[in-house]
Amino acid sequence: MQKKTAYSFPDEILEHVFSFIQSGKDRNAASVVCKSWYEIERWCRRKIFVGNCYAVSPTMVIRRFPDIRSIELKGKPHFADFNLVPDGWGGYVLPWISEMAGAYPWLEEIRLKRMVVTDESLELVAKSFTNLQVLVLFSCEGFSTDGLAAIAASCKNLRELDLRDSEVDDLSGHWLNHFPDTYTSLVSLNISCLGSDDVSFSALERLVGRCPNLRRLLLNREVPLDKIANLLSRAPQLIEFGTGTYAAELRSDVYSNLAEAFCNCKELKCLSGFWDAVPAYLPVIYSVCSRLTSLNLSYAPIQNPDLTKLVSQCPSLQRMLVLDYIEDSGLEVLASSCKDLQELRVFPSDPFGEEPNVSLTEKGLVAVSSGCPKLQSVLYFCRQMSNAALVTIAQNCPNFTRFRLCLLDPKIADYRTLQPLDVGFGAIVEHCKDLRRLSLSGLLTDRVFEYIGMHAKKLEMLSVAFAGESDLALHHVLSGCESLRKLEIMNCPFGDKALLANAAKLETMRSLWMSSCSVSLGACKMLGQKMPRLNIEVMDEKGPPDSRAESDPVDKLYIYRSVAGPRFDMPPFVWTMDEDFASELS
Amino acid sequence: MSSENGKRLLETDAGGLNFEATELTLGLPGEPRVTSDGGAKLGSKRGFSETVDLKLGDNNREVKLGHSLQEAAKSPVSKTQVVGWPPVRGFAKRGKKSCKYVKVAVDGAPYLRKVDLEIYNSYQQLLTSLEDMFSCFTIRNYLNEKKIEQVNGIEYMPTYEDKDGDWMLVGDVPWQMFVESCKRLRLMKSSEAVGLGLTTGPKYSSTN
């Protein structure tokens, strides 16, 4: 019988087959079938996702994949969002841009998250990638409007420029003027993070006016309300729009212009912005409400009844972001009006206040869980919770994929029974079999971690703070959660035992963050010696590790797998526990 | 509310957490329960007491297993003093008029940090927060002559750079004016501050 081998299939056919495989995971799987598949696949891979920019070096990526057109890179650990990662930690994109400049002249898409991007990097991007179409800088920092000007001037094929949540140095510049008059390809522009002097409004108007394919426009806070009507009238084809400041003295001409402008945007489905919003101007968007699938009011200080009234007019909502001004009563209305709701995020209006300023409790979330059968993703900040509520929510929503609960007092017990919230979260992981992301809070013992290890088999990301009593908790998670990729822990009494016992697990994960826990320096060194494919990074302000005792707990610990070895761009307060380094220190 | 919870927790718990008492049990019938005492004993030096007891330079970090939860419930974490909680994104201040992030440098410390001045209402709150962030240093808190444990014998004076680029002593102007004009903070070694003529006491107390 003639054996069919890989060679009997011409490469071109395999390449064509591979072109239907878009997901990186599937491509990775295909590439390890055999050597020839590996070779064919690597030559035709066009898109790459690097979840940790230090897990691999740009050289290695380029060597394996010679013709990449789209790259996504992530830098700092997630807890950097909450001020836990000091400035200067790392995540610099310049080394990547420098190497790709030569290797990938046809690069089309660059997406970066939590990376340090300098003007020098942006200028290099502008110079090197003439075919750049997409530039997304999500939670990045280190650049100014000068860098943006370089992009605007050179990237003639740019379709998408998204500066979402980035910190841009406030330089007075009319960078928008650098888009040439001949430039008309803009499809998506997000400048919502920019500060006061950064945007020339007339340049923006002209830009919007000459880009007929513009579908997404998110303005920054400084764009006044009375300018929006004019802007919208130049882009009635918009699908997604983010206003600037939504407060102004009520004037009938401004009001009617706005109402008309919104009315003419027949394809508008997503609204955001609404900084400083006042109720007076809310009705101008009523004509759009019935079509809205996504509404972000998380910057709007609007309260009930105006807020609830607005929400009740949006029956097609799939995604809702709002402040806790919505209160339980508003969430009940949401539950009865918005049967297609998939994602809900409720943010605290006064996160640091000692006393509750709104009537938002667990009842609101229970109502939404009961009324919205498609609810999959929740981020909820509130001040009280009960096991009973969590059990009800879990039973109502077995389809949860993301569940993040943040109790403002992080160690608060079940307010009704005064018990820990172990059982409630246990119900969540038991019922929600597809849960991929979970954030815990409240008074929690080792018990909840036992439940998580037992049930949360699809869990990929777990965030823990002020929870647990012993290493057993960490052991449950590391030994039980088969799909775990990212684990971030702050202020928990977890020490060496669980970590050392589950060292091998760490190689199957992207990263582990532990801050203000009880992991000793000695354990870190041991991990560094035993696990060469892990980078063990210790962050400590108090001085180099060799000045401390082996049993001293480290302040911050970041462990991630890497094939690139320890990095060399560490700031003075980060030490690697790599074997060679560790022996130098002792 | 939290301290009330704490007291009641102590009253109902005879000795440790009584899971049998709760009606919301999880797990198949007959499954043996793993008690929390079965876990590894911690010889840890860090635990809840570190987060609830924010005395500067405090080395008393002993955690007693079994009592840790009661302690936690008894003394809940004060919100203005914990870095990273609640996990709200820094510069995306929602519902607030503005946010005023300034960098904080401490002489001799390799870290820079950022604080949002808008979340504080007084100099006292700011300094308490700074004490927590840079807990290994002694920050001279002369606003109310608080006695602070000396860790390494070096005192630091809180100074700031204002809009005009001048370095001023924190506390010299009314709080709101400070928030508006402060560009960055620097905790300067007292010895250096003397040289810059910044040792005259502040005019405004924490009550302004």
Side-chain angles (χ1 to χ4, degrees):
Chain A
M1 187 173 74
Q2 192 187 29
K3 218 164 54 162
K4 276 243 156 38
T5 67
Y7 310 110
S8 62
F9 236 27
D11 288 3
E12 297 80 43
I13 305 258
L14 269 174
E15 222 183 280
H16 184 66
V17 172
F18 286 159
S19 71
F20 292 99
I21 305 175
Q22 302 292 338
S23 123
K25 268 178 73 177
D26 292 340
R27 281 219 162 219
N28 292 344
S31 70
V32 295
V33 165
C34 63
K35 283 185 187 160
S36 63
W37 278 38
Y38 178 93
E39 276 302 304
I40 296 165
E41 195 281 317
R42 77 183 188 90
W43 279 98
C44 66
R45 175 128 22 160
R46 298 285 171 259
K47 187 168 174 162
I48 189 149
F49 168 76
V50 181
N52 174 4
C53 65
Y54 291 118
V56 66
S57 73
T59 313
M60 288 166 154
V61 172
I62 291 167
R63 190 164 58 217
R64 178 170 172 188
F65 301 112
D67 193 5
I68 293 290
R69 306 287 168 91
S70 167
I71 186 160
E72 183 173 350
L73 290 169
K74 295 190 181 180
K76 298 186 205 173
H78 172 239
F79 273 173
D81 287 356
F82 315 126
N83 224 13
L84 283 167
V85 177
D87 269 9
W89 175 86
Y92 307 104
V93 79
L94 187 58
W96 286 86
I97 305 291
S98 305
E99 290 212 43
M100 293 193 301
Y104 299 146
W106 307 120
L107 194 65
E108 294 169 3
E109 303 182 352
I110 298 174
R111 293 181 172 84
L112 307 175
K113 186 169 182 181
R114 283 190 211 101
M115 294 199 75
V116 176
V117 180
T118 56
D119 284 346
E120 186 189 349
S121 306
L122 289 176
E123 279 150 24
L124 192 53
V125 165
K127 198 171 70 168
S128 317
F129 307 120
T130 51
N131 202 28
L132 191 71
Q133 294 169 30
V134 172
L135 182 61
V136 176
L137 303 175
F138 187 172
S139 293
C140 295
E141 56 166 353
F143 61 103
S144 77
T145 47
D146 284 356
L148 296 177
I151 298 288
S154 307
C155 299
K156 300 179 176 29
N157 295 314
L158 196 67
R159 285 184 287 117
E160 182 176 339
L161 178 61
D162 190 335
L163 306 176
R164 192 173 159 181
D165 288 335
S166 288
E167 269 183 58
V168 185
D169 278 345
D170 194 352
L171 291 186
S172 182
H174 296 263
W175 65 276
L176 277 173
N177 286 313
H178 289 254
F179 280 110
D181 291 336
T182 48
Y183 170 75
T184 57
S185 3
L186 198 59
V187 174
S188 168
L189 180 66
N190 179 356
I191 51 171
S192 52
C193 62
L194 291 185
S196 48
D197 293 330
D198 292 340
V199 173
S200 152
F201 191 75
S202 54
L204 179 62
E205 270 189 326
R206 288 195 309 274
L207 181 63
V208 168
R210 66 177 185 272
C211 294
N213 297 322
L214 190 65
R215 295 299 204 164
R216 183 170 178 260
L217 178 63
L218 273 50
L219 303 172
N220 60 329
R221 193 178 191 170
E222 273 61 36
V223 176
L225 191 53
D226 57 0
K227 299 264 203 214
I228 290 183
N230 220 336
L231 211 50
L232 281 177
S233 63
R234 290 169 200 237
Q237 73 282 3
L238 281 179
I239 297 177
E240 183 174 349
F241 180 62
T243 74
T245 184
Y246 208 75
E249 258 181 49
L250 186 55
R251 282 170 41 190
S252 56
D253 55 337
V254 173
Y255 186 100
S256 53
N257 287 343
L258 265 173
E260 191 183 337
F262 273 109
C263 193
N264 288 333
C265 292
K266 302 291 184 200
E267 301 189 65
L268 204 51
K269 292 234 173 60
C270 308
L271 279 179
S272 59
F274 297 107
W275 278 284
D276 323 306
V278 292
Y281 279 103
L282 284 183
V284 305
I285 64 168
Y286 283 178
S287 60
V288 185
C289 282
S290 59
R291 270 183 264 122
L292 283 183
T293 57
S294 170
L295 183 57
N296 183 351
L297 294 170
S298 62
Y299 295 94
I302 304 260
Q303 309 200 20
N304 291 330
D306 304 292
L307 183 51
T308 301
K309 179 162 184 216
L310 177 59
V311 164
S312 66
Q313 310 210 31
C314 305
S316 311
L317 273 188
Q318 294 170 16
R319 188 167 184 261
M320 175 89 210
L321 279 66
V322 72
L323 284 170
D324 55 8
Y325 290 133
I326 188 122
E327 300 193 318
D328 290 337
S329 56
L331 289 177
E332 276 153 33
V333 171
L334 182 73
S336 59
S337 313
C338 305
K339 296 306 182 184
D340 287 337
L341 195 71
Q342 293 172 24
E343 180 178 354
L344 174 68
R345 298 193 188 203
V346 180
F347 294 99
S349 52
D350 185 19
F352 303 106
E354 297 281 335
E355 295 301 318
N357 60 328
V358 291
S359 176
L360 180 96
T361 68
E362 82 285 3
K363 298 181 183 60
L365 186 55
V366 171
V368 178
S369 75
S370 168
C372 304
K374 299 187 189 169
L375 192 65
Q376 270 184 23
S377 173
V378 167
L379 170 59
Y380 199 76
F381 285 81
C382 63
R383 290 173 190 265
Q384 69 183 42
M385 188 49 60
S386 68
N387 283 306
L390 282 171
V391 171
T392 304
I393 290 165
Q395 289 167 342
N396 287 341
C397 295
N399 296 325
F400 272 160
T401 52
R402 294 186 206 87
F403 186 75
R404 293 194 278 164
L405 179 67
C406 295
L407 295 166
L408 292 179
D409 180 352
K411 284 182 290 192
I412 197 165
D414 176 326
Y415 77 99
R416 289 169 51 182
T417 65
L418 303 172
Q419 294 299 310
L421 291 171
D422 299 336
V423 166
F425 279 105
I428 295 281
V429 293
E430 195 190 355
H431 290 271
C432 306
K433 304 212 187 298
D434 292 325
L435 197 67
R436 292 194 317 257
R437 187 168 178 186
L438 177 65
S439 296
L440 305 172
S441 63
L443 189 63
L444 296 164
T445 71
D446 287 353
R447 172 62 47 87
V448 71
F449 296 96
E450 187 190 340
Y451 297 146
I452 292 172
M454 202 188 311
H455 294 286
K457 297 304 181 187
K458 299 251 179 84
L459 193 67
E460 296 177 10
M461 183 171 176
L462 179 64
S463 309
V464 183
F466 300 99
E469 307 153 278
S470 75
D471 272 44
L472 196 58
L474 182 56
H475 175 70
H476 284 312
V477 170
L478 289 177
S479 58
C481 297
E482 293 160 5
S483 311
L484 197 63
R485 290 191 297 115
K486 290 180 280 182
L487 180 57
E488 47 185 26
I489 301 172
M490 55 179 270
N491 299 77
C492 295
F494 303 153
D496 301 342
K497 290 196 162 63
L499 208 54
L500 293 174
N502 292 281
K505 170 74 174 176
L506 298 176
E507 274 189 8
T508 69
M509 293 164 55
R510 183 188 297 174
S511 65
L512 167 66
W513 167 281
M514 291 178 76
S515 56
S516 302
C517 296
S518 310
V519 182
S520 74
L521 179 62
C524 295
K525 284 188 186 170
M526 203 183 311
L527 273 176
Q529 282 163 13
K530 295 242 181 311
M531 312 291 299
R533 289 185 298 193
L534 291 179
N535 282 359
I536 317 288
E537 291 181 11
V538 165
M539 258 184 274
D540 216 314
E541 207 176 3
K542 296 185 186 72
D546 56 355
S547 65
R548 323 259 300 287
E550 294 278 295
S551 54
D552 263 5
V554 298
D555 184 22
K556 294 177 175 149
L557 175 61
Y558 186 49
I559 298 177
Y560 57 91
R561 66 178 175 190
S562 176
V563 293
R567 58 185 177 115
F568 297 105
D569 61 357
M570 290 177 295
F573 52 84
V574 177
W575 288 273
T576 180
M577 299 288 113
D578 176 68
E579 197 168 16
D580 303 322
F581 283 67
S583 59
E584 271 181 315
L585 293 170
S586 52
Chain B
M1 183 171 157
S2 305
S3 53
E4 204 185 65
N5 281 347
K7 260 206 312 212
R8 273 150 73 177
L9 189 66
L10 285 171
E11 281 164 26
T12 52
D13 275 347
L17 295 153
N18 191 1
F19 288 111
E20 276 70 41
T22 180
E23 49 202 24
L24 300 166
T25 58
L26 205 67
L28 300 168
E31 224 180 86
R33 286 184 177 278
V34 177
T35 62
S36 51
D37 298 312
K41 284 271 181 252
L42 268 186
S44 67
K45 293 195 178 141
R46 215 179 266 230
F48 292 113
S49 58
E50 157 128 331
T51 55
V52 305
D53 187 353
L54 293 161
K55 268 211 269 309
L56 199 62
D58 187 20
N59 284 319
N60 180 19
R61 294 168 175 181
E62 200 88 73
V63 172
K64 299 181 194 71
L65 232 130
H67 286 111
S68 56
L69 280 172
Q70 292 168 354
E71 267 186 30
K74 197 165 47 177
S75 34
V77 178
S78 169
K79 291 165 200 90
T80 52
Q81 292 174 306
V82 180
V83 182
W85 197 270
V88 285
R89 304 216 43 210
F91 41 82
K93 278 302 169 188
R94 301 168 191 275
K96 275 181 164 269
K97 278 280 167 193
S98 58
C99 108
K100 184 71 195 287
Y101 258 81
V102 296
K103 292 190 177 176
V104 185
V106 176
D107 286 357
Y111 283 19
L112 275 188
R113 285 209 183 59
K114 287 189 206 148
V115 292
D116 175 14
L117 295 179
E118 292 283 344
I119 70 172
Y120 306 108
N121 294 319
S122 70
Y123 283 117
Q124 190 54 56
Q125 284 185 7
L126 170 64
L127 286 175
T128 308
S129 208
L130 291 178
E131 278 173 17
D132 177 52
M133 274 186 222
F134 297 99
S135 55
C136 57
F137 301 98
T138 312
I139 300 171
R140 177 144 180 246
N141 189 344
Y142 46 70
L143 285 175
N144 54 6
E145 294 307 321
K146 196 161 100 172
K147 285 280 178 225
I148 297 167
E149 267 178 61
Q150 304 254 334
V151 173
N152 53 10
I154 301 175
E155 266 190 356
Y156 291 80
M157 304 271 278
T159 65
Y160 72 100
E161 184 183 359
D162 72 3
K163 279 194 184 141
D164 304 321
D166 298 323
W167 284 95
M168 318 267 284
L169 207 56
V170 166
D172 261 3
V173 300
W175 170 255
Q176 264 314 117
M177 201 186 295
F178 162 73
V179 170
E180 275 159 39
S181 63
C182 174
K183 270 172 49 179
R184 74 178 98 215
L185 284 163
R186 180 177 159 199
L187 303 183
M188 206 181 280
K189 286 189 182 152
S190 291
S191 47
E192 266 192 56
V194 168
L196 290 170
L198 288 175
T199 46
T200 50
K203 302 194 193 72
Y204 290 88
S205 73
S206 56
T207 52
N208 272 28

